[in-house]
Amino acid sequence: MPVTVLVPDEDGLRALGEVAGVRPVRYSWREPLPPEAADAEVLVPGAHRPEERDAVLGALPNLRLIQLLSAGAENWIGTVPDGVLLSTCRGAHGGSTAEWVVAVLLSIYRELPGFAADQAAHRWNLHATDTLQDKRVLVVGAGDLGKQLQRRLTAFDARVTLVGVSGRAGVHPVDELPGLLGGHDVVALMVPLTSRTRGMVDAKFLAAMPDGAILVNAARGPVVDTDALLAELTAGRLRAALDVTDPEPLPPDHPLWTAPNVVLTPHVAGSVRGSKRRSYAVVAAEIARYAGGELPQNLVHGEY
């Protein structure tokens, strides 16, 4: 018998239609579930509200695996029914997120916003800028996102230090992080949101960074204490590039909009053309493993 998989869109039907032993079925959170839902073992969630999610989960008696299209799983931790596996889409978005980090660092160091303002003012402002070359970059998070970033930064002759939960070859353990902050020009956050990382970047963390350093948050907004970061930005001591914020979306009157020394983007680091195709390539591989009697590789254990 094929494994029935509920998918939220036509892209899912096409991607999983090519996987042996799998029967993909289209569904919607806002419509009655199709009859095949009674047999569904795998759910690929689409956009949802918590009450819609809970209603669907309660109507899937044979559910065994929730396969996410996102690398982040914080919205699902603690909500998955007992006996149901949870797998992320790790590996789909690391490249585009790393590309965003490189882009904002180049923009800051090469002063592209300033040159754009000069262009608008018809002003020929010839001067030297800084460079990403030889910068010391501390990447906090040594999973797919962190490794993708390390590879790209190395190509720009930056010097990269990786920090992970545990130490291993080429990776410092997280308990060494406080002693590493002062020796780096950039701190790039590439971690999931968990009880350990929530609020990790507080006033003490920021104070340990050297003057003029850049904090890059490509993780989740609540990893950073927004008030503590605002204090450093307003004082002109640190710079920042933020793809995520706390709160998010950022209210129109929030002081981060007008804070000095910050580049803001609206959670778009992974939002690029082809992202859905890359996501479903990972999803198809994970579900193929499950259908073949293996465990998915991106299973969430505890918080991650």
Side-chain angles (χ1 to χ4, degrees), residues 5-286:
V5 181
L6 296 185
V7 297
D9 49 39
E10 294 296 320
D11 295 303
L13 289 178
R14 285 192 294 271
L16 295 179
E18 301 175 2
V19 178
V22 169
R23 176 178 65 159
V25 176
R26 177 78 182 271
Y27 82 102
S28 170
W29 294 99
R30 295 171 177 82
E31 298 175 4
L33 290 176
E36 296 91 341
D39 300 320
E41 291 185 44
V42 182
L43 171 68
V44 179
H48 65 275
R49 295 193 296 266
E51 62 272 19
E52 294 168 334
R53 176 187 61 197
D54 295 343
V56 170
L57 292 179
L60 303 177
N62 289 302
L63 184 64
R64 298 294 179 268
L65 170 66
I66 298 172
Q67 173 59 57
L68 302 180
L69 286 164
S70 63
E74 67 273 8
N75 292 330
W76 289 87
I77 303 298
T79 69
V80 177
D82 291 341
V84 176
L85 302 172
L86 178 64
S87 179
T88 72
C89 204
R90 184 179 70 235
H93 309 295
S96 54
T97 302
E99 182 180 80
W100 175 87
V101 175
V102 173
V104 294
L105 287 176
L106 287 172
S107 177
I108 291 170
Y109 283 131
R110 300 310 303 265
E111 301 181 22
L112 298 186
F115 284 123
D118 290 335
Q119 179 181 350
H122 300 189
R123 182 170 50 237
W124 190 262
N125 185 12
L126 175 63
H127 65 276
T129 69
D130 206 340
T131 175
L132 183 54
Q133 297 173 90
D134 297 321
K135 288 296 184 293
R136 302 160 301 172
V137 182
L138 184 62
V139 178
V140 184
D144 175 64
L145 294 177
K147 290 176 181 176
Q148 293 271 15
L149 178 57
Q150 180 185 38
R151 182 165 66 86
R152 285 161 174 78
L153 287 172
T154 300
F156 282 86
D157 296 326
R159 293 178 285 166
V160 180
T161 303
L162 282 178
V163 174
V165 174
S166 57
R168 51 193 183 275
V171 179
H172 292 261
V174 70
D175 58 5
E176 294 181 6
L177 179 57
L180 294 170
L181 292 170
H184 289 82
D185 306 293
V186 177
V187 177
L189 306 174
M190 310 291 275
V191 295
L193 179 61
T194 69
S195 60
R196 290 178 296 184
T197 62
R198 184 180 293 273
M200 175 180 68
V201 182
D202 55 13
K204 182 178 180 181
F205 183 110
L206 295 169
M209 294 173 61
D211 291 355
I214 302 172
L215 178 75
V216 181
N217 192 0
R220 290 292 186 267
V223 172
V224 177
D225 181 326
T226 301
D227 290 340
L229 177 59
L230 271 169
E232 293 283 10
L233 294 173
T234 302
R237 201 184 72 79
L238 295 181
R239 296 175 285 178
L242 309 174
D243 186 51
V244 289
T245 59
D246 183 24
E248 187 176 310
L250 200 62
D253 59 349
H254 197 280
L256 264 179
W257 286 115
T258 54
N261 305 310
V262 63
V263 174
L264 284 172
T265 59
H267 206 149
V268 296
S271 299
V272 297
R273 293 183 181 89
S275 62
K276 182 67 74 68
R277 172 179 52 79
R278 284 185 283 273
S279 294
Y280 270 115
V282 174
V283 166
E286 289 287 78

